[in-house]
Amino acid sequence: MTSGRVTIADVARRAGVSTAAVSKVVRGAYGVSAEMQTKVTQAIDELGYRPHAAARALRGRTYTLGVMLSDTRNPFFPDIIEGVTGRLGDTEYQVLLGPGGIEPKTQARMTDAMIDRSMDGLILISPVMTDAELAAVATAVPVVVVGRHGGAAAYDAVVDDDVMGAGLVVDHLVGLGHTRIAHITHLERARAQGLPHTVRAEGYRQAMRAHGLADDVLATSFTEEGGFEGARELLARDDRPTAIFAGADIAALGVLRAADEAGLSVPEDLSVAGYDNIGIASLKRISLTSVDQDGHVIGATAARLLVERIEGRSRSVTSSVSPTLIVRGTTGPPRL
Amino acid sequence: MTSGRVTIADVARRAGVSTAAVSKVVRGAYGVSAEMQTKVTQAIDELGYRPHAAARALRGRTYTLGVMLSDTRNPFFPDIIEGVTGRLGDTEYQVLLGPGGIEPKTQARMTDAMIDRSMDGLILISPVMTDAELAAVATAVPVVVVGRHGGAAAYDAVVDDDVMGAGLVVDHLVGLGHTRIAHITHLERARAQGLPHTVRAEGYRQAMRAHGLADDVLATSFTEEGGFEGARELLARDDRPTAIFAGADIAALGVLRAADEAGLSVPEDLSVAGYDNIGIASLKRISLTSVDQDGHVIGATAARLLVERIEGRSRSVTSSVSPTLIVRGTTGPPRL
DNA sequence: CTAACAATGGAGAACGTTCTACACAATCCT
DNA sequence: AGGATTGTGTAGAACGTTCTCCATTGTTAG
């Protein structure tokens, strides 16, 4: 009455069997007769028994998967979550999210906390930890890393093909007739390698080279302000670009503001493209050309890989998701 | 070597004391000498010991707080999270988020899962459960409910004063000279009482009445599409409103699109206001007048109340946060 | 008919903590 | 001096599971 919690012992008493037998039934383990099965199942239903995850943790699984979020404000993070939970919806696994913050230190604290809570596996979204830290986490628990290129042997990885995505944008703009295409990227702060913005910038450079064009990369930050500042600088030049490809939609919004303030009309005077295809990009008022990553597929894939890992696979896998270009109103042929 | 995990017994052996003593030091409990304190602390540091939360759960606290999110896409949910984690940053508590989904059933599953994982307390953000379900959760674990009016004795509550917020908008519009002000609300689907949209609609009605004006409420949904559809219907009328107050910014964006398509200029032909002050409302391209809820304060308050509850307070508390009106470019005097 | 075996159920030892109860020593009061 | 009190440390029983044996059945093969 004090705790009120129904335990396996209560069920065993009710069904007139041992706790071991109940445990077997609950886990679907080998060695239970049909009769035992029904008896116990009935007792469980009558009492409303639910296994106590913490107690389970001491011996076996917790059926809890952790997803560490580096940035809660990243607009397609809900897509990834939905992909993960959707995939796991009909399994016994539960998903809990851990806000890891932007700093390597706070992220490490979060992953430690998740390990301490004996989660069965972790999905890390764009972690900003060193490779060594990442490897350390991966030895303690199965790990899938999302959004970071160049995965290691210790963990699985799911990445968007950012090189391809950047290429799609450049190809599109070149196809429209642009030659002066600038790229706004995010200034590298951490030691971590293979982060999306780096790879997108590299993909942009490759694609420009492939078209025989000179590249023009400016590093500010992936914020509205960063896009604004970057665009203001680019647009002040004598030979200002006719198109700006921002490495993230949020920065592209800043670019649009800069264009507004400079009295340039989009797309006639300036074409603008982003990356991520965030929800508002599709709003008619914005109508931003962008690269869609299909966070849903990314999340579902990460969940699948993680469960596979937990259930025994040891060979490491890297899955690459192909982005698609969504052409909208902010890109068009340059004014001659 | 197999598990690799450092346990309290390892620390005790290293320091040459009992496990009970180590436990006392770790918990900061009464009855440890200074000498013992340093000896044990040193051993902990040397071995890199971290308490195993699941094992703790079986006896005492887990130092884990759960935040159930009803809607991961809600744009000010990151603000609330930051408020919560910010408040808890220097305590021993860890915050984990649980995506509860929109359905009462999935939300119940989530809260159950959190209870099964012996979290010390739960913050429920706009839960769509019945009062009975809510009460049941609250008997199992300390609970703070956010964003739902009319809290019960069993749990604490933090709410935005939605009546006041709606009043601010109406007062502002009336002050500009508007008399035909329509309101777009969210169609009630669940049984749950006291949800924000209901209260906002009621606040709107009260304020209109106070100004001696006729109210005009249309229920669609709090989505871009819902705002669009609602506005299209309202704008097709003979005596179309000169101002539309949408109960959520996301719907207000739909209203803006409808105005664009109808060839009405904002704010000259139509004033538009929203609620929530989501990030993009401040973008120059949108510049939406809105009501700000200060999710940061809400989150911090919820965290404070929850910790108080966990640490013994039994009297139930409801904290109300005052919203503020952010006037931007989408509202102005009506054209005469 | 008996030995071997498969199928089923149960005992009981973990798992890593917390926490109550107690032992012991040192200090205090009268 | 002797009892009471205070301070400090330890033993050991929980907590609710899982899981490895082991015991007891039937069943089958020879």
Side-chain angles (χ1 to χ4, degrees):
Chain A
M1 187 50 58
T2 54
S3 109
R5 176 135 205 137
V6 179
T7 75
I8 205 171
D10 297 327
V11 175
R13 209 171 306 121
R14 174 77 154 232
V17 298
S18 72
T19 59
V22 176
S23 175
K24 278 186 187 175
V25 171
V26 169
R27 288 155 29 222
Y30 175 82
V32 249
S33 64
E35 187 200 5
M36 169 71 81
Q37 169 81 31
T38 56
K39 240 189 336 191
V40 171
T41 310
Q42 193 186 337
I44 286 175
D45 289 346
E46 285 170 8
L47 297 176
Y49 166 76
R50 295 198 315 261
H52 191 294
R56 277 185 149 174
L58 247 40
R59 300 289 322 205
R61 306 263 192 88
T62 55
Y63 296 97
T64 309
L65 304 183
V67 177
M68 193 207 63
L69 310 167
S70 49
D71 176 16
T72 23
R73 296 186 186 281
N74 192 322
F76 71 90
F77 120 86
D79 289 337
I80 298 183
I81 304 302
E82 266 178 26
V84 172
T85 54
R87 177 89 200 186
L88 263 21
D90 48 356
T91 70
E92 236 190 315
Y93 289 102
Q94 273 289 339
V95 176
L96 291 178
L97 316 176
I102 305 181
E103 299 300 323
K105 210 172 61 183
T106 56
Q107 292 193 5
R109 186 180 170 207
M110 190 70 223
T111 49
D112 281 351
M114 290 178 142
I115 293 170
D116 294 345
R117 280 151 189 81
S118 5
M119 297 194 169
D120 292 341
L122 260 40
I123 294 175
L124 309 181
I125 312 225
S126 309
V128 191
M129 319 167 76
T130 66
D131 288 343
E133 284 172 318
L134 221 44
V137 173
T139 58
V141 62
V143 166
V144 175
V145 171
V146 170
R148 186 162 153 168
H149 294 255
Y155 50 84
D156 295 337
V158 180
V159 292
D160 176 57
D161 189 340
D162 289 305
V163 170
M164 173 180 168
L168 289 174
V169 172
V170 172
D171 291 352
H172 167 61
L173 291 170
V174 170
L176 288 169
H178 293 270
T179 54
R180 292 198 308 282
I181 305 168
H183 179 62
I184 294 180
T185 189
H186 184 78
L187 188 59
E188 187 77 60
R189 313 171 49 193
R191 196 57 28 84
Q193 292 299 307
L195 292 178
H197 57 269
T198 316
V199 180
R200 286 174 198 170
E202 186 47 35
Y204 157 83
R205 283 199 195 88
Q206 278 182 28
M208 291 296 277
R209 215 175 303 138
H211 285 290
L213 297 173
D215 59 48
D216 182 7
V217 176
L218 183 62
T220 59
S221 73
F222 279 177
T223 59
E224 205 258 356
E225 200 56 30
F228 177 73
E229 297 293 347
R232 212 163 52 167
E233 183 174 333
L234 289 169
L235 296 177
R237 295 186 185 165
D238 293 341
D239 59 338
R240 62 172 175 77
T242 59
I244 296 180
F245 164 34
D249 282 352
I250 183 71
L253 294 173
V255 174
L256 289 177
R257 174 154 69 96
D260 287 352
E261 291 198 3
L264 298 174
S265 62
V266 174
E268 290 79 7
D269 298 319
L270 180 72
S271 282
V272 178
Y275 206 113
D276 290 345
N277 192 28
I278 62 180
I280 49 173
S282 68
L283 296 180
K284 294 293 192 303
R285 281 226 155 187
I286 304 283
S287 191
L288 176 68
T289 294
S290 186
V291 178
D292 186 78
Q293 296 200 46
D294 203 341
H296 206 275
V297 168
I298 292 176
T301 306
R304 180 172 57 78
L305 292 181
L306 186 56
V307 171
E308 284 176 16
R309 263 280 167 160
I310 291 171
E311 297 184 344
R313 173 166 55 70
S314 57
R315 190 176 47 85
S316 134
V317 169
T318 293
S319 170
S320 187
V321 174
S322 295
T324 53
L325 181 70
I326 312 288
V327 176
R328 296 201 182 88
T330 54
T331 49
R335 188 170 276 173
L336 296 180
Chain B
M1 188 50 55
T2 54
S3 107
R5 177 135 206 137
V6 179
T7 76
I8 206 172
D10 297 327
V11 176
R13 210 172 307 123
R14 174 78 154 231
V17 299
S18 72
T19 60
V22 176
S23 176
K24 275 189 188 176
V25 171
V26 170
R27 287 155 30 224
Y30 174 84
V32 246
S33 65
E35 188 199 6
M36 170 71 81
Q37 169 80 30
T38 55
K39 242 188 336 189
V40 171
T41 309
Q42 192 186 338
I44 287 176
D45 289 345
E46 285 171 7
L47 297 175
Y49 166 76
R50 295 199 312 260
H52 192 295
R56 279 187 147 172
L58 247 39
R59 298 290 324 212
R61 307 263 191 91
T62 55
Y63 296 96
T64 309
L65 305 183
V67 177
M68 194 206 63
L69 311 166
S70 50
D71 175 15
T72 24
R73 295 185 186 284
N74 193 321
F76 71 90
F77 120 85
D79 290 337
I80 298 183
I81 304 303
E82 266 178 26
V84 172
T85 54
R87 177 89 200 183
L88 263 22
D90 49 356
T91 70
E92 236 191 317
Y93 289 103
Q94 273 290 337
V95 176
L96 292 178
L97 317 176
I102 304 179
E103 300 299 323
K105 211 172 58 181
T106 56
Q107 292 193 3
R109 188 184 168 205
M110 190 71 223
T111 49
D112 282 351
M114 290 177 143
I115 293 169
D116 294 346
R117 279 152 189 80
S118 2
M119 295 192 172
D120 292 340
L122 259 41
I123 295 175
L124 309 180
I125 311 225
S126 309
V128 191
M129 318 167 76
T130 65
D131 287 343
E133 285 172 317
L134 222 42
V137 173
T139 58
V141 62
V143 165
V144 174
V145 171
V146 171
R148 189 164 153 165
H149 295 254
Y155 50 83
D156 296 336
V158 180
V159 292
D160 176 58
D161 188 341
D162 289 307
V163 170
M164 173 181 169
L168 289 174
V169 172
V170 171
D171 291 353
H172 167 61
L173 292 169
V174 170
L176 289 169
H178 293 271
T179 54
R180 293 199 307 282
I181 304 169
H183 178 63
I184 294 180
T185 188
H186 184 77
L187 187 60
E188 187 76 61
R189 312 171 49 194
R191 194 62 21 86
Q193 291 298 308
L195 292 179
H197 58 269
T198 317
V199 180
R200 286 173 199 172
E202 186 47 36
Y204 158 82
R205 284 200 195 86
Q206 279 182 26
M208 291 297 277
R209 215 176 302 138
H211 286 289
L213 297 172
D215 59 49
D216 181 7
V217 175
L218 183 62
T220 59
S221 73
F222 280 175
T223 59
E224 204 259 356
E225 200 56 31
F228 177 74
E229 296 292 346
R232 212 162 52 168
E233 185 175 331
L234 289 169
L235 296 177
R237 295 186 185 161
D238 293 340
D239 59 339
R240 63 172 174 75
T242 59
I244 297 181
F245 164 33
D249 282 350
I250 184 72
L253 294 174
V255 175
L256 289 177
R257 174 153 70 97
D260 287 351
E261 291 197 4
L264 298 174
S265 61
V266 174
E268 290 78 11
D269 298 319
L270 180 73
S271 281
V272 178
Y275 205 112
D276 287 346
N277 191 28
I278 61 180
I280 49 173
S282 68
L283 296 181
K284 295 292 191 304
R285 283 225 153 189
I286 305 284
S287 191
L288 177 69
T289 293
S290 187
V291 178
D292 186 78
Q293 296 199 45
D294 203 342
H296 206 274
V297 168
I298 292 177
T301 307
R304 180 173 56 79
L305 292 181
L306 186 56
V307 170
E308 284 176 17
R309 262 281 166 162
I310 291 172
E311 297 185 343
R313 173 166 53 72
S314 57
R315 190 176 47 85
S316 136
V317 169
T318 292
S319 169
S320 187
V321 174
S322 294
T324 52
L325 180 69
I326 311 288
V327 176
R328 296 200 183 88
T330 55
T331 49
R335 187 171 276 170
L336 296 180

